[in-house]
Amino acid sequence: MTGLGGSGAAAPGDYVYFKSVVPLHKISIGSKLWRYYDFGPKAVQPLICIPGIAGTADVYYKQIMSLSMKGYRVISIDVPQVWNHHEWIHSFEKFLDSMNIHHVHIYGTSLGGFLAQIFAQQRPRRVKSLVLSNTFLETHKFAAALPWSPVVNWTPSFLLKRYLLTGIQDGPQEPFIADSVDFVVGQVETLSREDLSSRLMLNVNVASVGSLSLPDCFITVMDTNDYSAVPQQLKDQVNERYPSARRAVLRTGGDFPFLSRPDEVTLYLQLHMRQVGVEPRPDLVQGFTRGGSSGSSNDHKDGNSFDDHPKDDGDRSSVDSEMEHSESESPYSVEPIPASTVLANTVLGTANSAQHVSLLCS
């Protein structure tokens, strides 16, 4: 079995399977190369996953597999080689235009959460909701910690990788957390020097998130309680900025809970999408097949995985029992904070999404 990006670690079996059924897309838009996964019914507004400084599109493979099988469309991206936040905003907007995507829901972790916020600030009509995990509002602290940022462009790749990984906790860890770290380290090994230096520049270019027009009720803050490379002070600032946002706290999970605690993270993403009014289309999904397709009752001769044509909005499916089942059998404890009642109501299916949004935003 091949190692993960040359790290020497064996690739997890579910990741090998993921790579065999979900195609990786690459598209050049102007001078930028975008690398991404896009899986799930095109009839559903997408959840776009933006990784942190050490992540790639692959780190969300567990969420892509789980959510797409439930009828959601998930797009996971690599941050391309952009060197400042203004360039990021314009590049990401062109990417969405090329995909003919007008409205998005964004799940951003660490640097990805910061990039999601500044995009939502500058392009408020396009961003319908946010899930922010272990992220921050401003980069001043990171800039101060990297006094050699002016020479990042000329720094050898091995030094950039070493610096990038210094924030990841080492030493004894829970097996699932250790496995998540190994996976991400393997992904870092696949990044070029230009990839690494551009991400570092995005992380240290001095900037801060301004006021968002997006109501707090369309934001979920999902953090881990044990350890994160993002200082707790910066995470607290996010909670203070969005006081009425829904909150999900994972007692453990480290920097990469989407890998170490995938069931909990996927459940909260599913709850978030339901509460902001995004209904899945499980009727368009039957199961994964080899060759990058997923069986669908609407599959035709083109072999497309999902039906691209939305049906009438009145065709709403009820909250599937798997959400309730997943929560009750979860082996790890997840603490919903002020929004626990609302989360529980969603799991139990006591109201539809439109009613939830109305209640939350009143």
Side-chain angles (χ1 to χ4, degrees):
M1 188 176 295
T2 57
L4 283 175
S7 67
D14 58 345
Y15 177 64
V16 173
Y17 179 67
F18 165 80
K19 295 289 285 184
S20 74
V21 298
V22 181
L24 172 65
H25 301 282
K26 295 180 182 180
I27 182 174
S28 293
I29 304 174
S31 61
K32 308 302 178 188
L33 176 65
W34 286 83
R35 178 182 177 275
Y36 65 97
Y37 296 99
D38 180 3
F39 215 60
K42 302 300 186 290
V44 180
Q45 281 188 357
L47 173 69
I48 297 188
C49 303
I50 307 178
I53 192 170
T56 65
D58 297 62
V59 299
Y60 299 111
Y61 78 91
K62 293 177 182 288
Q63 285 69 48
I64 298 172
M65 293 282 280
S66 297
L67 290 173
S68 63
M69 287 302 295
K70 296 178 186 297
Y72 292 96
R73 181 184 183 185
V74 183
I75 300 174
S76 181
I77 67 170
D78 268 7
V79 177
Q81 293 176 18
V82 292
W83 301 89
N84 58 66
H85 304 125
H86 181 77
E87 189 179 11
W88 153 253
I89 293 167
H90 284 274
S91 183
F92 188 46
E93 184 169 41
K94 288 181 179 178
F95 171 74
L96 297 179
D97 290 341
S98 73
M99 303 273 286
N100 197 30
I101 296 173
H102 304 291
H103 301 122
V104 296
H105 305 265
I106 303 178
Y107 169 42
T109 58
S110 190
L111 174 63
F114 177 76
L115 296 177
Q117 290 175 88
I118 61 174
F119 185 79
Q121 177 189 346
Q122 297 298 324
R123 300 294 185 269
R125 294 184 179 181
R126 303 198 78 152
V127 179
K128 294 304 179 183
S129 74
L130 294 171
V131 181
L132 306 173
S133 181
N134 292 340
T135 191
F136 46 90
L137 294 174
E138 48 90 12
T139 60
H140 299 78
K141 190 176 185 69
F142 302 112
L146 191 70
W148 47 276
S149 59
V151 297
V152 160
N153 290 347
W154 294 276
T155 304
S157 178
F158 77 93
L159 287 178
L160 294 175
K161 291 177 181 177
R162 181 183 300 174
Y163 179 82
L164 210 61
L165 297 174
T166 53
I168 299 178
Q169 186 181 33
D170 53 11
Q173 296 171 325
E174 294 182 56
F176 288 118
I177 296 178
D179 289 345
S180 72
V181 171
D182 288 343
F183 186 91
V184 172
V185 169
Q187 292 298 305
V188 170
E189 291 297 325
T190 70
L191 300 175
S192 68
R193 186 181 68 83
E194 290 75 17
D195 291 327
L196 297 165
S197 55
S198 64
R199 293 177 183 204
L200 277 173
M201 291 307 297
L202 288 175
N203 210 56
V204 301
N205 280 338
V206 176
S208 59
V209 177
S211 177
L212 301 187
S213 61
L214 188 69
D216 284 7
C217 58
F218 289 94
I219 299 173
T220 295
V221 179
M222 185 194 311
D223 288 337
T224 53
N225 242 3
D226 53 348
Y227 173 81
S228 169
V230 176
Q232 186 62 45
Q233 178 187 3
L234 298 186
K235 294 198 292 184
D236 290 342
Q237 290 175 0
V238 175
N239 286 298
E240 293 168 4
R241 172 67 65 87
Y242 310 115
S244 299
R246 291 184 295 275
R247 289 177 174 80
V249 175
L250 307 176
R251 288 182 178 174
T252 62
D255 280 303
F256 316 114
F258 40 85
L259 289 167
S260 60
R261 299 290 183 261
D263 292 341
E264 287 84 348
V265 170
T266 299
L267 174 64
Y268 274 111
L269 290 175
Q270 190 176 359
L271 296 176
H272 172 88
M273 295 294 277
R274 288 290 185 136
Q275 294 203 15
V276 299
V278 179
E279 290 291 340
R281 294 296 303 271
D283 55 303
L284 302 182
V285 183
Q286 286 186 343
F288 287 103
T289 59
R290 293 285 173 178
S293 65
S294 175
S296 166
S297 58
N298 297 292
D299 280 349
H300 297 294
K301 59 186 178 182
D302 62 357
N304 193 8
S305 303
F306 299 93
D307 187 354
D308 287 345
H309 304 289
K311 295 184 179 180
D312 185 81
D313 286 342
D315 182 18
R316 303 278 180 153
S317 60
S318 61
V319 177
D320 76 47
S321 60
E322 188 169 349
M323 291 174 63
E324 185 176 355
H325 183 72
S326 173
E327 184 177 70
S328 63
E329 294 192 356
S330 174
Y332 306 103
S333 178
V334 182
E335 293 181 354
I337 315 183
S340 58
T341 302
V342 180
L343 290 172
N345 285 342
T346 305
V347 174
L348 296 174
T350 56
N352 63 34
S353 296
Q355 290 173 324
H356 278 300
V357 173
S358 176
L359 290 171
L360 287 165
C361 295
S362 59

